[in-house]
């Protein structure tokens, strides 16, 4: 069963069904796996769950859907291009559609806003004035994201995103943090009380990541397969991984590997071009986004998985989903030495000094030559995912956060039923 019954009693109990509205701008749902896990956890705890999110390009394309009892309302959104002006257009459109659809959903007990951007507090405030409680689900530290992605320094736009983050913290009744580093920021920079900030870690869906027999043909005739899985944006370090692979070939003389990069993002085309410039086209394959079944085939065959996120203000304190997914599949990891990477992976990874691509290459070679070490690391990762990093622990924290948010709060469904009874018939 999802959710402990003690939390069910606290969060919903014998009272009328409570209604939650989750706001997402960054990804469609259920493609956003963290949000989908939160949706199903709340549903199983007795909540009626609505989601407002953008439509996907190839999936999640329907404007309205009800999936496994979760009601999803999607709007068209064009991703930002052309610098800050493009983001203003994107976010302005998203806010307008979010407000429009929130009116359609009607009264809710909790509005649960997932950043980025730190602008969803605006529709959340509108709903708060109508009786909702506001749960801020901080997926990213947007000021650090700005510094890491745009390399513009602490300019006027940086100060603006800091101000928006402060306003979001101030408006929230409860904050959900993805790890202890984010929790510390909410308390220190956001001025939140420790008892109002809950760590709800992202965790892979175990049923989605079940190993299958390896397929040697995916190695293209080489003894080893290296795998990268994830977003390909400017801050994600795919360029670091490619340069490390060039060093693995040119400086260490290793050509006994094939590498596959699974995923997409706004740096995808640039990374394909960088691979060409480095002369890696024969050994490096870019798949784009692929179905889960194909993803599992690659991960089940991989000998070493890559987490090349460079140290920057955001990456050092962020939990990388790909690291958790590698661990769920029992794969050993090479990572740069980041604070939260060590918290997540522990001994399931080996760590190169921050941003040192030559050392990253040497660690790949070390693992390729030591199958026993790879097997030990893979087992450690799976044990961590099924234990301290499991979604079950995060479920308990999520439901506890909702219980705190809803203290002394009358469910809107009770008010709705009263109003319905008083409405005259026509």
């Amino acid at each position: 069963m999802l959710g402990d019954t003690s939390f069910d009693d606290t969060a919903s109990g014998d009272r009328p069904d409570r209604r939650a509205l989750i706001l997402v701008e960054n990804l469609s749902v259920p493609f956003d796996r963290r949000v989908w896990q939160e949706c199903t956890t709340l549903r199983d705890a007795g909540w009626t769950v609505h989601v407002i999110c953008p439509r996907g390009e190839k999936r999640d394309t329907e404007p309205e859907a009800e999936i496994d009892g979760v009601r999803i309302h999607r709007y068209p959104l064009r991703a930002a291009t052309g610098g800050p002006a493009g983001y203003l257009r994107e976010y302005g459109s998203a806010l307008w559609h979010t407000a429009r659809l929130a009116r359609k959903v009607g009264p809710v007990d909790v509005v649960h806003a997932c950043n980025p951007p730190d602008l969803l507090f605006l529709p959340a405030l509108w709903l708060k004035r109508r009786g909702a409680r506001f749960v801020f689900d901080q997926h990213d530290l947007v000021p650090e994201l700005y510094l890491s992605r745009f390399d513009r320094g602490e300019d006027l736009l940086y100060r603006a995103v800091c101000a928006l983050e402060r306003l979001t913290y101030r408006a929230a009744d409860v904050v959900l943090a993805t790890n202890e580093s984010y929790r510390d920021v909410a308390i220190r920079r956001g001025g939140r009380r420790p008892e109002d900030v809950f760590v709800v870690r992202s965790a892979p869906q175990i049923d989605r990541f079940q190993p299958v027999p390896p397929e040697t043909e995916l190695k293209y005739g080489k003894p080893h397969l290296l795998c990268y899985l994830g977003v390909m944006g400017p801050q994600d370090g795919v360029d670091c991984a490619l340069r490390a692979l060039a060093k693995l070939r040119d400086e260490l003389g290793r050509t006994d590997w094939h590498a596959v990069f699974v995923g997409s993002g706004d740096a995808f085309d640039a990374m394909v071009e960088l691979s060409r410039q480095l002369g890696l086209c024969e050994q490096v394959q870019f798949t784009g986004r692929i179905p889960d079944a194909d993803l599992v085939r690659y991960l089940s065959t991989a000998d070493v998985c890559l987490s090349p996120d460079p140290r920057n203000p955001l990456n050092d304190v962020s939990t990388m989903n790909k690291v958790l997914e590698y661990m769920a599949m029992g794969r050993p990891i090479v990572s740069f030495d980041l604070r939260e990477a060590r918290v997540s992976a522990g001994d399931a990874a080996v760590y190169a000094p921050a941003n040192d691509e030559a050392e990253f290459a040497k660690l790949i070679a070390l693992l390729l030559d030591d199958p026993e070490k790879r097997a030990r690391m893979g087992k450690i990762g799976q044990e961590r995912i099924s234990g301290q990093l499991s979604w079950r622990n995060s479920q308990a924290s999520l439901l506890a956060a909702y219980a705190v948010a809803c203290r002394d709060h009358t469910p809107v469904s009770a008010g709705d039923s009263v109003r319905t009874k008083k409405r005259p018939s026509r």
Side-chain angles (χ1 to χ4, degrees):
M1 289 291 292
L2 292 179
D4 183 89
T5 53
S6 64
F7 285 109
D8 290 358
D9 292 339
T10 304
S12 57
D14 297 327
R15 295 171 292 185
D17 285 345
R18 290 189 180 273
R19 289 161 51 87
L21 173 60
I22 300 180
L23 309 180
V24 188
E25 194 276 345
N26 200 36
L27 290 172
S28 64
V29 175
F31 180 70
D32 188 319
R33 298 293 180 174
R34 172 186 171 87
V35 172
W36 185 243
Q37 286 174 306
E38 291 173 329
C39 289
T40 55
T41 295
L42 292 168
R43 176 206 63 198
D44 290 347
W47 288 77
T48 297
V49 182
H50 291 260
V51 181
I52 295 174
C53 65
R55 296 181 198 170
E57 293 184 1
K58 296 182 179 179
R59 57 184 296 177
D60 302 340
T61 57
E62 306 89 346
E64 300 278 342
E66 182 168 336
I67 303 173
D68 296 339
V70 177
R71 303 164 195 183
I72 306 172
H73 314 264
R74 304 188 184 108
Y75 54 85
L77 186 65
R78 180 178 297 178
T81 57
Y87 283 94
L88 287 175
R89 286 191 296 272
E90 175 188 336
Y91 296 156
S93 174
L95 286 173
W96 185 84
H97 284 293
T98 297
R100 172 180 63 84
L101 292 170
R103 290 188 182 94
K104 179 179 178 180
V105 170
V108 295
D109 296 284
V110 169
V111 54
H112 176 150
C114 308
N115 81 334
D118 286 339
L119 286 167
L120 294 177
F121 78 93
L122 294 169
L125 280 176
W126 180 77
L127 290 163
K128 278 194 73 171
R129 286 195 289 269
R130 284 152 180 80
R133 300 295 172 88
F134 176 24
V135 172
F136 173 39
D137 192 350
Q138 191 165 27
H139 292 192
D140 280 312
L141 300 177
V142 176
E144 283 79 1
L145 175 61
Y146 180 84
L147 291 175
S148 302
R149 184 178 179 92
F150 296 108
D151 195 27
R152 295 166 60 105
E154 297 183 4
D155 60 0
L156 180 62
L157 283 175
Y158 171 79
R159 293 194 292 274
V161 297
C162 288
L164 291 172
E165 182 189 67
R166 287 194 298 272
L167 290 170
T168 302
Y169 279 136
R170 189 177 304 165
D173 295 292
V174 163
V175 176
L176 307 183
T178 57
N179 58 39
E180 291 292 345
S181 294
Y182 277 33
R183 183 175 186 270
D184 290 344
V185 170
I187 296 168
R188 172 178 47 82
R189 191 163 78 197
R192 302 301 316 203
R193 300 187 308 166
E195 58 266 34
D196 292 333
V197 185
F198 295 79
V199 174
V200 178
R201 291 185 174 276
S202 297
Q205 291 178 282
I206 300 301
D207 58 352
R208 183 182 175 225
F209 291 95
Q210 292 295 319
V212 298
E215 301 178 25
T216 56
E217 60 268 25
L218 297 179
K219 299 183 179 185
Y220 283 80
K222 301 290 185 178
H224 303 294
L225 179 67
L226 311 176
C227 186
Y228 171 91
L229 162 65
V231 177
M232 298 185 190
Q235 74 276 13
D236 295 306
V238 176
D239 57 330
C240 298
L242 291 171
R243 287 191 292 267
L245 293 181
K247 294 178 185 298
L248 180 65
R249 178 197 61 193
D250 299 336
E251 298 179 12
L252 301 180
R254 299 295 294 261
T255 59
D256 55 344
W257 52 269
H258 179 75
V260 60
F261 285 73
V262 178
S264 188
D266 52 8
F268 180 87
D269 291 340
M271 295 302 98
V272 173
E273 173 60 20
L274 177 60
S275 175
R276 187 193 65 78
Q277 293 173 5
L278 294 170
L280 292 170
C281 294
E282 295 298 319
Q283 284 186 265
V284 172
Q285 172 189 3
F286 290 86
T287 68
R289 287 179 177 168
I290 57 177
D292 284 356
D294 291 332
L295 169 62
V296 168
R297 291 170 57 231
Y298 281 113
L299 290 177
S300 297
T301 306
D303 297 286
V304 176
C305 286
L306 310 179
S307 183
D309 307 83
R311 180 183 291 170
N312 58 38
L314 179 69
N315 290 346
D316 195 41
V317 295
S318 296
T319 300
M320 304 301 172
N321 286 335
K322 60 179 166 286
V323 168
L324 303 175
E325 290 165 353
Y326 297 155
M327 292 162 65
M329 291 293 294
R331 302 297 94 186
I333 303 161
V334 178
S335 171
F336 287 122
D337 195 357
L338 308 179
R339 184 192 320 174
E340 284 295 333
R342 282 191 177 271
V343 171
S344 295
D347 291 334
V350 290
Y351 303 92
N355 308 347
D356 189 330
E357 295 162 0
E359 288 300 315
F360 197 95
K362 290 178 182 178
L363 289 177
I364 295 173
L366 180 149
L367 290 183
L368 293 182
D369 290 337
D370 195 339
E372 292 183 358
K373 182 177 180 67
R374 297 200 307 265
R376 288 195 303 271
M377 292 170 63
K379 184 177 180 180
I380 289 169
Q382 287 182 316
E383 290 173 348
R384 291 174 66 82
I385 289 296
S386 62
Q388 66 189 88
L389 300 179
S390 71
W391 178 245
R392 181 171 295 278
N393 292 333
S394 289
Q395 285 178 316
S397 187
L398 172 66
L399 295 176
Y402 265 62
V404 168
C406 291
R407 284 177 305 195
D408 305 319
H409 178 63
T410 302
V412 296
S413 53
D416 286 348
S417 63
V418 171
R419 286 194 294 272
T420 301
K421 291 175 183 178
K422 292 181 178 180
R423 187 179 299 136
S425 61
R426 297 187 178 183

